[in-house]
Each structure stands twice: as C-alpha cells, then as structure tokens.
C-alpha cells in the first residue's frame, strides 16, 4: 500500500489526497471556495452505509491547508465510528472552514457555506463544532435543511455540549469503575484540560460528586470564572501531562496522547471529550495499555452531542436523548471488559464493533 512506503512529506507531494495517511476510503471530499466572502472549506464524507454523513463544522485558523485537510479527514472518519458504535443510523462526515472565526466569520460566509452543504443533497448534514455557535447553524438553516444543532427557537435541539459532557461523565464513571472497582468520583483528582462548552459542564458534574477538579486552559478569564463557580483548582504547574492524578480529561483539542506525553502520564484513567485524543491509535493505544492506563475511547464517550443532534432528524425528545446518552456507561464498561478478555486495546475493541455493524448493513444493502 502506498502509505507504507512513502514518508509523510513525500505523501504530501506525490499523493495529495488518496495517499494521505488520514485518508481511509473516504467516499467523497469536497473543496469549497468563494472569493467574495473569503470562504475556504473542505467537507469530508467518510462513509454513508448506515445513513447520511453527519458531523460538525470546525472553523479554525489552520497553519496550512494540509493541516486542514488532515483534520477534516481524521474527524470525518471518527464520526463514522462514533455513529456506528452508538447505534445511530448515520454515516460519518465533517467539515472544516479555514480561518480565524473571530476575524473572518460573517453571516454571508456562513450562508455561502450552507449553500455548498445543500449541493450535496442530504448526503452530508452539518452541525456546530469548535469555532461555531448555534446562531451560525441558524444562518445555515436559512439556505438548507441539511443542518442540525440549530436553536430551540428555530425548532432544533439546541446546544449539544451539555449532552456531550453528560456522556463523557458517564464514560468517565464507567472507566473509573473498571480501574478502581467502583464508579465514585468523590475524592478523585481529575485534570480537566479545556474548560469550554463541554469542559465546564464536565467540571460541574464532577464537582457535584465531590471530585477534586483541577482545571487548565489557555484562557485566563475562563479559568477564573469556572474556578469560582465550582471551587475547582487552577493548574499553575509547568507540565500538565506529568501531573499525578487519577483521571485526565482532555477537553480541548486532539492528539494530546502522543510520543511526547505518553511517557509522562501518571494517571490511571483517560476520559475526555476531545476528538482523536490518540495521535496514532495503532501506537498510542497499545502503549497506554502497556502502562496500565485505562482509556475510554473518545468517539464512544463523546457521542452525547451526536445523539442530541440526531434527535432533530429522527424527532425524538429529551427523555430519549438522556437515556441513550446514559447508555454510554454500559457500552464503555462492556468494551473495557471485552478488551481485557481479548487482550486488545479498548479503542480497537470499539472500532471492531463499529466496523461489524457497518459490514452487516453493507451486506444487507447488496
Ligand atoms: P470549546 O471551543 O468551547 O472549548 C475548548 C476549550 O479549550 C477553550 O476554553 C479553549 O480556550 C481551550 N483550549 C484550547 N487550546 C488549549 C490548550 N492547548 N490547553 C488548554 N486549553 C485549551 O470546545 P468544546 O465544544 O467544549 O469542545 C471541546 C472538545 O470536545 C473539542 O475537541 C471538540 O471537538 C470535542 N467535542 C465537542 C462536542 C460538543 O458537543 N461540543 C462533541 C464531541 C466532541
């Protein structure tokens, strides 16, 4: 296979799309540009066997277009696994818009983006992700029905982040039970990295259970605010990854479990909201297992948000959203037990269950 013989740099030059390491049989990748509004976006449709591809739009000031492409490919693939393991009839997709949302995001740009989404005719449904607000999805809704995460006032299920946090909390408790024999978070030292929409709610839930929550963020104002609200300690050390604690909850950006950090980690459990926490699932998953660190797969425990937005398509209500999200506890515990029995990583175990579900559906469709 081409990806095994070329270095990453060679790949960039010689096999720019199909040869990218993050390219994993994606069905379709759409590049969208509009000079008038400054829009540059990429929509990745990874897999639509279980249903239309659903995944949020991330707006970020990427260092290069390569980084943006790599991000959308990794994220859209992750969405396929997330929907499949959660039992939803959805495929995996994601979009990125290149640029600093504070500088270039305008209603005109979001409208133009919505029109591009519309051209896919329902193969891809968008939603909010980093750099997006519910109001942006409302703008997109003006030009296409293929959008979720719109405001309750406009008939949507509203901000998915509190539901995501609740699912992460459920996954964290299941992983704690697996690691410690009971799922109580009281007294546990929990490092929450990133206290944005999801992180803050996770801090609230953990603090309510009398956990010792330590928070880290690059935004000092948020740190002060969240610390005051929930009595959380602000991390002022040099290196969060080297901190001794029970649980590390990555709730900022992905790939924080990598070659640099893996040897420093002194926690018993990793359970957080960020997508793609393992820089390389084939390397860092087994290394965590070897170190005896229990890893709750991100795409499994951060599925609350997709459960919430899926409600807009399927038309189910609050109670069902809650019970489906609560079920993340059972699925996580099952997967951790299964991976132990089979001596494989929890990530690999969750991925194989998701792949089996897709394979069965594919067979039915033949
Ligand atoms: P957000 O943008 O509201 O919050 C991210 C927070 O991380 C911000 O406070 C930011 O200042 C902080 N941050 C950024 N870089 C940091 C760093 N290097 N160190 C410490 N803090 C840093 O995003 P969110 O909606 O809370 O999502 C958090 C993560 O969870 C993202 O990776 C997102 O993709 C993932 N996720 C979110 C949802 C959802 O429903 N919002 C669903 C699934 C996955």
């Amino acid at each position: 296979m081409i990806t095994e013989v070329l270095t990453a740099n060679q790949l960039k030059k010689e096999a720019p799309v199909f040869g990218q390491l993050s390219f994993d049989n994606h069905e379709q990748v759409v590049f969208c540009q509009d000079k008038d509004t400054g829009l540059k976006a990429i929509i990745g449709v990874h897999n639509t066997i279980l249903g239309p591809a659903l995944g949020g739009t991330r707006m970020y000031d990427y260092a290069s277009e390569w980084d943006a492409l790599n991000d959308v490919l990794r994220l859209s693939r992750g969405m396929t696994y997330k929907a499949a393991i959660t039992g939803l009839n959805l495929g995996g997709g994601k979009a990125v818009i290149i640029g600093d949302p504070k500088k270039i995001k305008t209603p005109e740009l979001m409208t133009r983006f919505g029109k591009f989404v519309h051209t896919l005719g329902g193969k891809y449904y968008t939603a909010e992700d980093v750099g997006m607000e519910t109001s942006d999805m409302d703008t997109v809704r003006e030009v296409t029905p293929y959008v979720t995460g719109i405001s309750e006032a406009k008939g949507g299920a509203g901000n998915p982040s509190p539901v995501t946090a609740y699912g992460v909390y459920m996954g964290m408790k299941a992983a704690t039970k697996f690691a410690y024999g009971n799922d109580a978070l009281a007294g546990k030292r929990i490092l929450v990295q990133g206290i944005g929409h999801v992180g803050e709610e996770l801090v609230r839930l953990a603090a309510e259970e009398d956990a010792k929550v330590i928070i880290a963020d690059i935004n000092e104002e948020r740190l002060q605010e969240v610390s005051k609200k929930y009595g959380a300690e602000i991390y002022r050390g040099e290196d969060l990854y080297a901190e001794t604690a029970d649980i590390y909850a990555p709730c900022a950006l992905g790939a924080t479990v990598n070659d640099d950090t893996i040897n420093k980690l002194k926690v018993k459990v990793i359970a957080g909201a960020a997508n793609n926490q393992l820089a390389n699932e084939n390397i860092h998953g087994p290394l965590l297992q070897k170190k005896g660190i229990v890893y709750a797969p991100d795409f499994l425990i951060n599925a609350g948000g997709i459960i919430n937005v899926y409600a807009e398509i399927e038309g189910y209500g609050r109670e069902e959203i809650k019970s489906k999200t609560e079920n993340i506890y059972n699925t996580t515990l099952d997967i951790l037990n299964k991976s132990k029995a089979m001596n494989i990583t929890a990530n690999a175990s969750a991925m194989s269950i998701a792949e089996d579900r897709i394979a069965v559906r594919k067979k039915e469709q033949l």
Side-chain angles (χ1 to χ4, degrees), residues 15-223:
V17 179
F18 298 106
Q20 286 289 302
L21 289 170
S22 46
F23 197 91
D24 175 51
N25 292 315
H26 279 71
E27 285 178 19
Q28 198 173 359
V29 181
V30 185
F31 294 82
C32 317
Q33 188 181 18
D34 179 61
K35 284 205 164 155
D36 292 345
T37 56
L39 174 75
K40 271 189 188 168
I42 313 173
I43 301 172
V45 176
H46 178 250
N47 190 297
T48 57
I49 288 172
L50 294 177
L54 190 147
T57 296
R58 175 172 294 188
M59 187 161 188
Y60 190 73
D61 196 9
Y62 291 99
S64 75
E65 290 176 10
W66 288 112
D67 287 355
L69 177 61
N70 191 43
D71 207 27
V72 76
L73 292 176
R74 274 169 62 89
L75 289 165
S76 54
R77 174 178 181 263
M79 292 307 291
T80 298
Y81 284 97
K82 190 184 301 199
I85 194 77
T86 312
L88 308 178
N89 290 322
L90 288 174
K94 200 91 181 179
V96 295
I97 299 177
I98 300 170
D100 183 343
K102 287 197 197 91
K103 291 186 185 149
I104 69 159
K105 190 167 69 179
T106 57
E108 291 75 24
L109 180 140
M110 290 312 302
T111 300
R112 193 68 192 93
F113 174 70
K115 285 181 178 170
F116 276 114
V117 170
H118 193 68
T119 62
L120 290 172
K123 190 172 189 180
Y124 167 68
Y125 278 70
T126 197
E128 59 195 272
D129 192 69
V130 175
M132 286 289 136
E133 304 296 331
T134 305
S135 57
D136 297 315
M137 295 306 115
D138 286 348
T139 305
V140 169
R141 182 66 186 85
E142 305 279 323
V143 289
T144 182
Y146 308 126
V147 53
T148 57
I150 54 176
S151 63
E152 287 174 279
K154 302 244 171 181
N159 180 6
S161 302
V163 188
T164 301
Y166 188 57
V168 172
Y169 171 68
M170 285 291 131
M172 181 184 280
K173 282 180 79 65
T176 301
K177 183 170 173 64
F178 183 80
Y180 292 92
N182 72 73
D183 67 14
L185 298 184
K188 296 270 182 303
R189 243 175 103 75
I190 307 178
L191 304 172
V192 181
Q193 180 187 39
I195 43 162
H197 292 105
V198 181
E200 175 178 349
E201 179 66 8
L202 183 63
V203 170
R204 186 185 73 78
L205 291 164
E208 239 176 42
E209 232 195 281
D210 288 332
K212 290 177 160 180
V213 185
I214 296 113
I215 52 175
D217 203 293
I218 49 172
N219 184 332
E220 184 59 34
E221 230 171 275
R222 294 279 306 146
L223 283 170

Side-chain angles (χ1 to χ4, degrees), residues 251-295:
C251 296
L253 295 175
T256 57
V257 179
N258 55 43
D259 289 345
D260 285 341
T261 60
I262 196 136
N263 292 322
K264 302 180 195 168
L265 289 167
K266 292 194 205 84
V267 293
K268 198 117 200 223
V269 169
I270 299 180
N275 287 308
N276 298 325
Q277 290 165 24
L278 307 179
N280 182 326
E281 68 210 17
N282 298 324
I283 296 173
H284 303 112
L287 281 175
L288 285 178
Q289 194 184 24
K290 215 166 143 194
K291 285 189 70 160
I293 297 176
V294 176
Y295 173 64

Side-chain angles (χ1 to χ4, degrees), residues 317-332:
R318 282 278 137 218
E319 274 315 300
E320 202 168 339
I321 291 173
K322 189 159 186 234
S323 71
K324 276 187 196 296
T325 307
E326 232 151 42
N327 198 40
I328 289 176
Y329 182 100
N330 295 328
T331 318
T332 307

Side-chain angles (χ1 to χ4, degrees), residues 223-244:
L223 283 170
Q224 295 297 342
E225 193 186 318
V226 173
S227 165
K228 221 179 256 164
K229 255 176 155 170
Y230 310 106
E233 178 187 327
I234 298 176
Y235 182 70
R236 296 291 184 203
E238 288 288 300
D239 190 352
L240 184 76
Y241 302 105
E243 191 67 13
T244 302

